[in-house]
DNA sequence: GACTTATGAATGAACG
DNA sequence: CGTTCATTCATAAGTC
């Protein structure tokens, strides 16, 4: 229903429901909509490995090749690869930014609440150097459980804990809501 | 993947009932480890209040400030605030579009009132127009973040209809990444 | 206790 | 490139 996709529709037909959706009928999930690309785990793994290897903005040529290879695992188009890298890169930065702020906040009030919160989503990747190594992708039989690195170390030099004008109000009571928000 | 999923389970099989939460069947009580953010009533109230006041898409800076303040009421992260507004806005729009569809019965083709898009960007709520008042967004601390010049040498302009913009190619040196992808 | 609802979280796609 | 939108998944809370 409601075909009003913003902008343009990727696929001409965008076969809804049971319409073929290409041969790579992956995604055993609930609704196998073919509206948008739904990467398989293998595809995600390869893309992630590429990203982790330092590839951030693949060229058109690279995109084509990656897409071509990934099509082995399922239906995929070049633009999917393009978007994937764009999103992945952007979100990494975005997330990193937010987490940093949270950490700053955490430090600001660690005196009161000092419990080891597991920032399980912090990863270093500060400067993904081009690791010139041959990662063994291509898991024909590997089920991609190689998350051998769960390094979630929390080592980063927090910038300056600049004195926040709106520092933590030590009221410690349920303060008036609106007043606290005037800082916005 | 380890970028930003706080230990979540990728929707591989997407089998309903999948525990998710990273394999470890922890969980059970109040959010502690793998649970998702469970906003307190105070937090919800504040967020709702902000939303009602007209705030739809807080900037990163605002998100951080809101998060900082809301952390007084309990554990919260910036991304929680971010997601909250995204979801809240999207769901209101979703419901609103539902109504819209219903009433487009006659509006159906009011050509003269053509949006730029199908639904356009309805940034403001149509009903509660009482724009921000107390929580007006004035940055009291403009730490040089006021003029964030965006150096956008967007030489890419051609949004060809058939092709998506394979934008920038930074010509990044691409290392041999994998056996199959070494052709890159 | 299973079912439904509400909503947090994630991400593909696209805009400016 | 940062931001925004739409859709979907996952899960806590609410209901019967």
């Amino acid at each position: 229903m409601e075909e009003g996709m913003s902008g343009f529709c990727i696929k001409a037909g965008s076969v809804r429901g049971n319409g073929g959706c290409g041969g790579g009928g992956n995604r055993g999930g609930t609704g196998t909509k073919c509206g948008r690309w739904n990467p398989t785990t293998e595809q995600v793994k390869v893309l992630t490995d590429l990203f982790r290897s330092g590839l951030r903005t693949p060229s058109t040529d690279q995109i084509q090749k990656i897409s071509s290879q990934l099509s082995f695992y399922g239906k995929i188009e070049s633009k999917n690869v393009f978007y994937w890298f764009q999103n992945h890169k952007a979100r990494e930065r975005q997330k990193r930014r937010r987490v940093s702020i949270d950490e700053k906040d955490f430090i600001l009030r660690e005196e009161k609440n000092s419990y080891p919160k597991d920032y399980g989503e912090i990863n270093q990747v500060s400067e993904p150097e081009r690791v010139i190594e041959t990662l063994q992708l291509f898991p024909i039989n590997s089920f991609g459980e190689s998350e051998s690195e769960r390094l979630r170390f929390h080592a980063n030099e927090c910038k300056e804990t600049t004195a926040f004008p709106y520092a933590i109000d030590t009221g410690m009571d349920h303060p008036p809501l609106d007043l606290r928000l005037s800082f916005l």
Side-chain angles (χ1 to χ4, degrees), chain A:
Chain A
M1 66 296 279
E2 193 54 304
E3 182 51 74
M5 294 281 224
S6 59
F8 65 96
C9 226
I10 318 311
K11 313 299 272 321
S14 75
V15 271
R16 295 264 185 236
N18 52 7
C21 187
N26 60 51
R27 243 343 46 94
T30 50
T32 307
K33 296 287 194 68
C34 314
R36 76 181 193 186
W37 173 55
N38 208 352
T40 67
T41 47
E42 292 79 20
Q43 287 171 336
V44 171
K45 189 192 183 312
V46 173
L47 290 169
T48 301
D49 284 338
L50 284 170
F51 187 87
R52 288 191 51 78
S53 298
L55 186 60
R56 314 264 297 190
T57 308
S59 65
T60 305
D61 205 37
Q62 291 173 312
I63 288 174
Q64 293 274 7
K65 286 167 179 161
I66 296 170
S67 173
S68 180
Q69 293 295 317
L70 289 183
S71 65
F72 171 78
Y73 300 108
K75 186 174 179 297
I76 191 174
E77 293 176 65
S78 294
K79 67 175 185 179
N80 302 133
V81 177
F82 170 78
Y83 282 136
W84 191 92
F85 276 96
Q86 287 289 117
N87 283 322
H88 211 69
K89 179 167 54 178
R91 276 168 182 143
E92 190 204 40
R93 291 207 67 217
Q94 187 182 68
K95 223 158 263 184
R96 166 175 292 283
R97 193 174 316 161
R98 290 200 217 287
V99 169
S100 294
I101 297 298
D102 287 344
E103 285 174 355
K104 181 179 64 183
D105 179 65
F106 170 73
I107 286 180
L108 278 173
R109 16 182 228 100
E110 68 180 350
E111 287 112 54
K112 296 175 289 193
N113 263 343
S114 72
Y115 63 96
K117 178 193 182 305
D118 64 331
Y119 287 91
E121 53 206 352
I122 301 172
N123 290 282
Q124 25 107 24
V125 200
S126 58
E127 186 53 48
E129 195 49 62
R130 283 84 60 87
V131 241
I132 313 293
E133 61 174 293
T134 30
L135 348 142
Q136 66 292 11
L137 313 182
F138 191 43
I140 288 185
N141 48 2
S142 96
F143 199 65
E145 55 177 353
S146 65
E147 45 182 5
S148 54
E149 46 182 318
R150 302 278 296 181
L151 31 98
R152 54 177 64 184
F153 66 102
H154 186 292
N156 57 348
E157 81 306 326
C158 307
K159 325 166 182 64
E160 316 267 315
T161 56
T162 52
F164 268 46
Y166 48 86
I168 347 306
D169 185 271
T170 54
M172 294 309 120
D173 301 339
H174 46 282
L177 303 167
D178 292 336
L179 291 179
R180 295 180 63 86
L181 292 167
S182 58
F183 62 88
L184 286 178

